[in-house]
Amino acid sequence: AGPPRVTDGAPTLPQERFAALVGALRLGAAAAAAFEELDSLHAEPHRRYHGAAHVLALLRHLDDIRDHCAAPDEVEWAIWFHDAVYSTRRSDNEERSADLSDRWLGRGGAGAGLLERTRELILATRHGAEPVDGDVALLVDIDLSILGAPTETYDAYERAIREEYRWVPGPLFRRERRKVLAGFLERPTIFRTAPLRARWEERARQNLTRALAALG
């Protein structure tokens, strides 16, 4: 993703990379103005995990597996927008993020096909069902990469999620968090794509098992 800018100690999004993406997707210059809104949204103070650092991590993973993507620029656009709208008090964040993406693509003159494909990618990050193959599966796997992170990084992620949901009482949070984590463990495989499954599956299962034990 290139070296991030840093504001008050926190990473911010790489504007030049977003501008290059707008060009690669053959969008009009108006779409480049989306960067300021994306940068502002990802800097919202309630975000402890779903901020700029998360986007930067996903962009790095995309760079690693770019050759596996059929349409890597579309996957990248979805990475930029998939958590653009994020509130732990709502259940429609991905839909609202996809709507925001649609608006900016529309301003850039995108065709119906690009709108449809990027919306499908963004909505797939709801993780409510097993993704289909191809770029959708790759994006979903990348978005779940934190599950297979080293122990210290994963534990920091769990703490950050708890902070994002700090308004939820402890017993309720632990009950609902157990459901989420157990749901991933119950899948035949957490990661759909072979290269990312080989990279993250074993450690993800170790992290999730340990996190469930900590939740009681």
Side-chain angles (χ1 to χ4, degrees):
R5 294 176 296 121
V6 177
T7 302
D8 296 331
T12 57
L13 299 173
Q15 186 169 9
E16 289 184 1
R17 176 159 182 162
F18 185 77
L21 176 63
V22 169
L25 289 171
R26 302 181 185 277
L27 299 172
F35 175 82
E36 295 300 332
E37 182 170 12
L38 287 168
D39 201 33
S40 176
L41 286 168
H42 284 92
E44 291 171 332
H46 66 274
R47 297 176 186 245
R48 293 295 183 268
Y49 172 71
H50 293 89
H54 174 56
V55 174
L56 290 167
L58 268 58
L59 290 174
R60 287 192 292 270
H61 291 314
L62 174 63
D63 290 343
D64 286 344
I65 56 106
R66 200 171 187 92
D67 290 344
H68 294 275
C69 296
D73 294 329
E74 295 177 6
V75 174
E76 180 167 345
W77 181 273
I79 287 173
W80 281 88
F81 276 89
H82 78 290
D83 285 325
V85 179
Y86 182 73
S87 170
T88 57
R89 297 177 184 269
R90 300 186 63 119
S91 61
D92 61 349
N93 290 313
E94 291 81 7
E95 289 86 350
R96 295 167 70 210
S97 295
D99 290 344
L100 182 65
S101 167
D102 287 349
R103 287 199 295 275
W104 282 107
L105 286 172
R107 292 174 189 177
L114 181 58
L115 284 161
E116 181 180 351
R117 292 189 300 272
T118 51
R119 188 174 186 87
E120 178 188 14
L121 287 162
I122 293 168
L123 293 181
T125 64
R126 291 177 293 194
H127 303 292
E130 188 171 342
V132 298
D133 294 328
D135 285 355
V136 172
L138 284 165
L139 174 60
V140 169
D141 280 0
I142 291 172
D143 195 32
L144 294 177
S145 60
I146 188 64
L147 301 183
T151 300
E152 183 177 343
T153 303
Y154 179 84
D155 289 348
Y157 156 71
E158 284 290 341
R159 292 192 297 271
I161 293 297
R162 182 62 183 112
E163 289 181 25
E164 289 185 343
Y165 284 88
R166 59 188 176 274
W167 57 274
V168 179
L172 177 59
F173 175 83
R174 289 190 293 274
R175 185 186 73 192
E176 295 304 311
R177 189 65 179 162
R178 281 196 298 267
K179 290 180 183 178
V180 171
L181 301 185
F184 286 120
L185 274 178
E186 289 166 1
R187 296 182 180 184
T189 61
I190 297 169
F191 298 96
R192 176 83 174 181
T193 59
L196 299 182
R197 185 163 58 247
R199 184 181 302 184
W200 293 321
E201 183 81 20
E202 182 177 358
R203 191 156 53 192
R205 290 190 173 275
Q206 295 170 353
N207 284 333
L208 291 168
T209 299
R210 187 167 43 80
L212 278 169
L215 288 167

